[in-house]
């Protein structure tokens, strides 16, 4: 008997590929469904060995709180950036900040860098080769230590709690 994981290593990704294929084709004809289904099975089979193993979520409720916090921060930061841009007489203080990482896993470091970049006004610019420092550009950073503390408490500690307990 064939195990489902052997021929379908990432079922959610396969379903997503099929849906995207049908949306791009703008058709749900049997031919497109068969071709999309074929691609949805073959692409993950050919590429799954290149992917890192998926981490286990140790605390799903903390993950839910983290996602809601990030969404709220994105909305708030959009208004703050719009205010900064709409007021040309206000002097911006752009700044590069070297952020020392507590995280060690590549997946969680990627999540942190993506979260920082998703929040308007900050962008993750570089990860040092040793994987211990993240270079962040902030649109308006008056206090470097306050920015580091805010990122650590709002994003890094919850990610560490969710994935790296």
């Amino acid at each position: 008997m064939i195990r489902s994981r052997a021929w379908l290593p990432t079922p959610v990704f396969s379903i997503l590929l099929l849906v995207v294929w049908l949306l791009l084709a703008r058709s749900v004809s049997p031919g497109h469904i068969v071709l999309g289904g074929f691609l949805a099975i073959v692409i993950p089979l050919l590429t799954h060995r290149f992917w890192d193993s998926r981490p286990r979520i140790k605390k799903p409720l903390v993950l839910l709180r983290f996602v809601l916090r990030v969404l709220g921060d994105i909305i708030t930061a959009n208004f703050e950036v719009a205010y900064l841009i709409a007021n040309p007489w206000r002097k911006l203080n752009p700044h590069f900040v070297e952020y020392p990482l507590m995280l060690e896993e590549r997946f969680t470091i990627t999540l942190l860098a993506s979260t920082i970049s998703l929040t308007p006004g900050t962008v993750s610019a570089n990860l040092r080769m040793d994987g211990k420092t993240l270079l962040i550009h902030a649109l308006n950073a008056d206090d470097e230590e306050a920015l580091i503390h805010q990122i650590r408490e709002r994003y890094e500690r919850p990610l560490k709690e969710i994935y790296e307990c």
Side-chain angles (χ1 to χ4, degrees):
M1 183 171 169
I2 298 175
R3 293 186 349 248
S4 65
R5 285 284 184 212
W7 64 273
L8 200 59
T10 54
V12 174
F13 182 57
S14 295
I15 292 169
L16 181 66
L17 282 173
L18 176 61
V19 169
V20 168
W21 176 263
L22 294 175
L23 288 172
L24 288 172
R26 293 175 40 184
S27 171
V28 287
S29 68
H32 280 293
I33 293 172
V34 169
L35 181 58
F38 174 76
L39 291 173
I41 292 172
V42 170
I43 290 173
L45 280 175
L46 293 175
T47 62
H48 81 277
R49 67 176 173 259
F50 301 113
W51 300 352
D52 288 337
S53 61
R54 288 175 281 170
R56 250 183 68 240
I57 297 172
K58 293 179 173 63
K59 297 189 177 180
L61 291 177
V62 177
L63 176 62
L64 178 64
R65 192 173 68 224
F66 174 77
V67 169
L68 292 174
R69 174 180 290 155
V70 170
L71 289 174
D73 287 351
I74 289 171
I75 292 168
T76 304
N78 271 305
F79 285 113
E80 290 173 2
V81 169
Y83 176 76
L84 290 171
I85 293 171
N87 295 312
W89 58 88
R90 182 172 163 89
K91 185 168 171 48
L92 295 178
N93 187 15
H95 196 68
F96 278 100
V97 176
E98 289 199 14
Y99 181 82
L101 291 166
M102 290 187 325
L103 300 172
E104 296 172 5
E105 299 293 323
R106 289 187 333 186
F107 178 76
T108 51
I109 291 171
T110 302
L111 276 178
L112 177 65
S114 299
T115 301
I116 290 168
S117 293
L118 278 172
T119 308
T122 54
V123 175
S124 300
N126 189 24
L127 176 64
R128 299 257 183 222
M129 292 299 285
D130 63 1
K132 296 187 186 320
T133 306
L134 189 63
L135 184 65
I136 300 170
H137 180 268
L139 180 65
N140 191 29
D142 296 325
D143 185 9
E144 183 176 328
E145 290 302 318
L147 179 65
I148 289 172
H149 180 72
Q150 180 183 15
I151 291 171
R152 176 148 295 132
E153 294 303 317
R154 294 188 71 78
Y155 306 132
E156 190 175 19
R157 284 197 197 280
L159 283 174
K160 189 163 184 69
E161 188 177 347
I162 293 165
Y163 293 106
E164 295 182 4
C165 290

